[in-house]
Amino acid sequence: MAKKKTIRTIPQERTPMREQDAQVRAKNFQEVACGYSLEDALRESERCLMCPDEPCIAGCPVGINIPGFIQKIGENNFRGAYDILTETNLLPSICGRVCPQESQCEGVCTVGESLEAVAIGRLERFVGDTAIKQGWINIPYIEPNRHKVGIVGSGPAGMACAADMAKAGCDVTVYEAFHQPGGVLRYGIPDFRLPNEVIDAEIDKLKQFGVKFECNTLVGRLFTIEQMIDEMGYSAVFVGVGAGYPTMLNIPGDSLNGVLSANELLTRCNLMRARDFPAFDTPLPIGKRVAVVGAGNTAMDAMRVSIRLGAEKVVCIYRRSRTEAPARAEEVHHAEEEGVEFHWLTNPVSVLDDGKGSVRGMRCVRMELGAPDQSGRRRPVPVAGSEFDFETDLIVYAIGTNANPIMGQTSKLKLNQWGYIGADETLATSVAGVFAGGDIVTGAATVIEAMGAGRKAARSMKAYLGIRDATLAYRGANGAGTLFGIDTRERNFARVRIA
């Protein structure tokens, strides 16, 4: 019997992960973090205490059995670790790279109360990457049924929903507006954080489940949500289009040449390969002095992309302090290493014109932190008489996103006051048979939260279609009545073969 671990008997320091040197990586788009070696993963797995109360599982939006898969790593049973992971998470290689584990599973890790938390995300990535290298995939026996299901959007919410509905036997088609599937994973996250090869590998697994992808298809323009239900034969539809409509500051000079959103910069660079111009014919304005407004993960991506595109100086403008910055600490650290200059407690008030319709600079004001606002963070307040100008020729706004209005304009889906799709606790919308989840319902969230929404919607869709959900325990009759021994609430059907 294995000896019980204690905080004193486990390795005291978190196992570091190898990275590209900052001076080298700032000139390429190859992945910064190199991942764990076998020895690294085995050592880090020893740090898990296998807590009986399992707080990390509660901290995971999809409830991954974290101690279970880490224990399998420690036993050198990597396929077993992958099997446990994929019971709840279809995209371990992706989530292991981009999920904010420090505020989710690792944030409540018991080890983290005394030492650095167990590197759950790095271990998840190790297992996912091992599965890709070995070609592992878990495809259960699938009995096809009569239902067609349409998924609008191929981001993490759409992929998770598509996988669960395909496993349930449905004929699933995913519609994507862009020319490649992946949604925000593809257009919003640079290769140096999430390589396209990883996205491709995870999407290929979906295709092996029988999921079909129709790209270059803008639902709401080519056909509507209602047409999918009424004319195209879909029994149910899931809308997971994300919230990629950029927010601008609406200050004087916003419309000048040289002002763009981080979404546009990243989409052009990542999805449309402007970084490889002229091999790809996507134009991209490249500034020598770039100012990025915002301090979230998207802002970090925009700044680090600008460095790799050849900017001489990249500056971050953020109205709060470093403590309030919403980006992952790791991303801020990497940006600093690569040469980004941070101007904390600074707020833009206008964009300056060069007299020819382009940007020549930005006027800002110093800020100080006052009382907390509704978000719980201290509200920034302008310091009187602190305005100053600085030179810049490209300004990128990374201050959040909104719901794309196309769905609301072309369907009868009920929207909330912010323009997001309204959905009840089951993620059902105001249109029968149509469900929605992810950023288009909640606003910007994490990849794993979007996946959780996609899986939750799939459970509701199966209930709506009367498909027995094998992941739920059988409920028994409980007075509801049975027919031929089957709970009438199952509302299922069975094939009868007539000789």
Side-chain angles (χ1 to χ4, degrees), residues 318 320-327 332 344-345 369 377-378:
Y318 185 55
R320 290 184 165 96
S321 74
R322 181 183 182 129
T323 304
E324 288 78 27
V332 178
W344 306 111
L345 293 169
L369 296 179
R377 298 180 296 175
R378 294 173 64 190

Side-chain angles (χ1 to χ4, degrees), residues 86-90 142 151 158-170 172 206 209 211 451-452 454-459 462 467 469 471:
T86 53
E87 287 175 359
T88 47
N89 181 11
L90 180 72
I142 297 174
I151 309 289
M159 284 198 281
C161 186
D164 280 2
M165 296 309 292
K167 289 177 185 177
C170 298
V172 180
L206 272 181
F209 281 106
V211 176
M451 288 179 59
R455 299 205 69 196
K456 181 177 181 180
R459 289 192 294 271
K462 284 183 274 189
I467 299 172
D469 193 335
T471 63

Side-chain angles (χ1 to χ4, degrees), residues 146-147 149 165 170 235-236 460-467 491:
R146 68 188 189 280
H147 297 298
V149 170
M165 296 309 292
C170 298
S235 306
S460 298
M461 292 165 77
K462 284 183 274 189
Y464 172 78
L465 297 173
I467 299 172
R491 303 204 324 275

Side-chain angles (χ1 to χ4, degrees), residues 232-427:
M232 298 171 67
Y234 286 103
S235 306
V237 171
F238 173 73
V239 181
V241 293
Y245 195 72
T247 299
M248 306 299 278
L249 273 177
N250 295 320
I251 58 177
D254 259 358
S255 59
L256 291 173
N257 291 326
V259 179
L260 69 161
S261 71
N263 269 28
E264 180 178 354
L265 172 70
L266 294 173
T267 300
R268 285 176 177 270
C269 181
N270 301 336
L271 178 71
M272 302 175 72
R273 301 294 295 277
R275 65 172 187 259
D276 297 323
F277 184 85
F280 287 78
D281 59 357
T282 302
L284 181 68
I286 299 176
K288 292 184 178 180
R289 299 172 64 89
V290 179
V292 176
V293 182
N297 290 326
T298 300
M300 300 302 141
D301 287 342
M303 290 184 285
R304 297 172 69 193
V305 158
S306 297
I307 287 173
R308 286 160 173 77
L309 291 174
E312 296 174 1
K313 184 175 183 179
V314 178
V315 176
C316 174
I317 306 294
Y318 185 55
R319 61 181 183 157
R320 290 184 165 96
S321 74
R322 181 183 182 129
T323 304
E324 288 78 27
R328 302 180 68 183
E330 181 181 63
E331 298 305 316
V332 178
H333 172 65
H334 282 160
E336 286 178 328
E337 285 187 324
E338 292 167 13
V340 171
E341 185 179 302
F342 286 85
H343 288 234
W344 306 111
L345 293 169
T346 304
N347 196 44
V349 293
S350 64
V351 179
L352 306 179
D353 193 338
D354 68 352
K356 301 177 183 179
S358 296
V359 172
R360 71 170 175 86
M362 178 181 277
R363 180 163 296 160
C364 296
V365 62
R366 301 292 184 190
M367 310 292 282
E368 60 185 6
L369 296 179
D373 60 15
Q374 291 180 346
S375 71
R377 298 180 296 175
R378 294 173 64 190
R379 182 185 298 277
V381 180
V383 176
S386 64
E387 288 191 0
F388 68 97
D389 298 348
F390 72 89
E391 292 184 14
T392 179
D393 54 6
L394 184 67
I395 296 172
V396 181
Y397 290 155
I399 55 175
T401 55
N402 300 297
N404 191 306
I406 290 178
M407 288 296 160
Q409 293 170 352
T410 61
S411 73
K412 296 178 181 178
L413 291 170
K414 183 178 179 181
L415 308 179
N416 65 20
Q417 58 183 319
W418 300 285
Y420 296 102
I421 295 175
D424 64 17
E425 64 277 2
T426 69
L427 299 185

